[in-house]
């Protein structure tokens, strides 16, 4: 039996597997409705969401910890 790569994500990082469960169409629709990326300079809404999602998963207590951990990747 042939396995679909979309169902079995054994080779992907855990954060990628969790992010794949979030419907990006809905996220992009909300960003567009709220005009959230109107004044962005360096970090779009999706990038900010992924960073904060990572911070929650790794239980970082401060923004300094998040920056330190992301710079190590």
């Amino acid at each position: 039996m042939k396995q679909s790569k979309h169902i079995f994500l054994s080779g992907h990082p855990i954060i990628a597997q969790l992010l794949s469960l979030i419907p990006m169409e809905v996220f992009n629709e909300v960003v567009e409705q709220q005009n959230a990326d109107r004044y962005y300079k360096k970090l779009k809404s999706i990038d900010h969401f992924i960073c904060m999602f990572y911070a929650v998963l790794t239980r970082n207590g401060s923004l300094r910890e998040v920056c330190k951990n992301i710079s190590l990747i």
Side-chain angles (χ1 to χ4, degrees):
M1 182 162 73
K2 204 172 197 181
Q3 296 178 351
S4 173
K5 287 186 178 184
H6 298 292
I7 296 172
F8 300 102
L9 301 170
S10 62
H12 299 304
I14 292 172
I15 193 164
Q17 292 179 29
L18 292 171
L19 285 171
S20 70
L21 299 174
I22 299 169
M24 285 300 141
E25 301 85 31
V26 175
F27 184 87
N28 292 332
E29 184 179 321
V30 170
V31 168
E32 193 173 306
Q33 284 176 357
Q34 298 298 319
N35 208 7
D37 284 337
R38 183 175 181 191
Y39 295 113
Y40 87 94
K41 293 187 182 201
K42 293 185 180 184
L43 201 64
K44 284 190 163 189
S45 297
I46 187 66
D47 300 327
H48 186 258
F49 174 73
I50 292 170
C51 288
M52 294 298 105
F53 189 70
Y54 174 77
V56 170
L57 288 177
T58 56
R59 295 183 178 175
N60 292 141
S62 68
L63 187 57
R64 183 172 290 165
E65 285 181 44
V66 174
C67 292
K68 184 181 97 179
N69 290 338
I70 289 177
S71 68
L72 295 175
I73 294 176

